Amino acid sequence: MPVQGTEAAAPTAAQLLDFVRRAAADARLIASLPLDPEGRTWVRLDGPGGSEAWLIGWPPGTGTGWHDHAESFGAFATARGALKENSLAVRLPSGGWRALELNEGVDRERLLRAGQGRGFGRHHVHEVLNESRAGHAVSVHAYYPPLPLMRRFSRTGPVLRLEQVERPEDWQ
């Protein structure tokens, strides 16, 4: 049982961004990640204030596919290589739909090179890609509260479809 007053305060978005940037700059931590030429690799980290954090290796040509992090906000930073983030500047309904037609102008794209990071809010829909043909990318991610679920989507033109809902037991 925790002693009263010793529980960690929930981290802010700025604290998560600071954490992922500092972790991404830790050369020893980054070098400790085993890299696989065929698939992504990951190691769970101790994030601040009870957050969920991951060190992730991205082989050339890999990505996440479109997804969100439900009620969690978060941040990620590239430690090695470069990652492209495609995102939607629109808040999706939290439930009750299987397909949505997106309006024009909601697509956003950014390239995060080593040392660069970004924060995001709840229900942020994006995909993250290592578009390099030759080199691994490595990144650090943190979420709060710890991910209750992730929704995975497919996209054809302006149509976004909910394909799957994953729970923590599906990826841990």
Side-chain angles (χ1 to χ4, degrees):
M1 177 174 214
V3 177
Q4 191 172 20
T6 62
E7 292 114 16
T12 65
Q15 288 169 324
L16 290 184
L17 184 56
D18 180 61
F19 169 79
V20 297
R21 284 180 171 154
R22 282 185 293 109
D26 183 338
R28 186 178 211 177
L29 174 67
I30 302 313
S32 74
L33 180 66
L35 299 178
D36 181 330
E38 301 299 319
R40 287 192 302 153
T41 54
W42 54 88
V43 173
R44 182 114 186 220
L45 303 174
D46 291 327
S51 63
E52 181 173 344
W54 297 91
L55 176 62
I56 301 176
W58 306 75
T62 59
T64 61
W66 287 96
H67 66 283
D68 74 2
H69 306 100
E71 295 295 326
S72 298
F73 62 90
F76 72 98
T78 303
R80 180 186 306 159
L83 292 171
K84 178 182 175 186
E85 180 194 36
N86 295 316
S87 63
L88 301 177
V90 63
R91 180 167 173 135
L92 301 179
S94 60
W97 64 277
R98 297 291 300 171
L100 292 172
E101 187 163 344
L102 301 169
N103 292 329
E104 287 186 35
V106 299
D107 289 292
R108 302 291 181 267
E109 178 182 304
R110 79 176 61 191
L111 185 65
L112 296 159
R113 299 184 188 284
Q116 296 179 316
R118 73 163 333 262
F120 53 86
R122 301 178 197 294
H123 299 285
H124 178 69
V125 177
H126 68 165
E127 66 175 349
V128 179
L129 309 158
N130 176 7
E131 294 186 317
S132 171
R133 293 175 173 245
H136 267 78
V138 176
S139 58
V140 179
H141 302 246
Y143 312 96
Y144 190 85
L147 296 174
L149 60 88
M150 286 177 59
R151 296 185 300 176
R152 297 216 172 259
F153 307 99
S154 63
R155 177 136 186 228
T156 306
V159 178
L160 188 71
R161 292 187 193 292
L162 176 62
E163 298 291 345
Q164 181 178 7
V165 176
E166 294 178 358
R167 308 247 176 236
E169 57 270 17
D170 296 329
W171 63 78
Q172 292 184 11

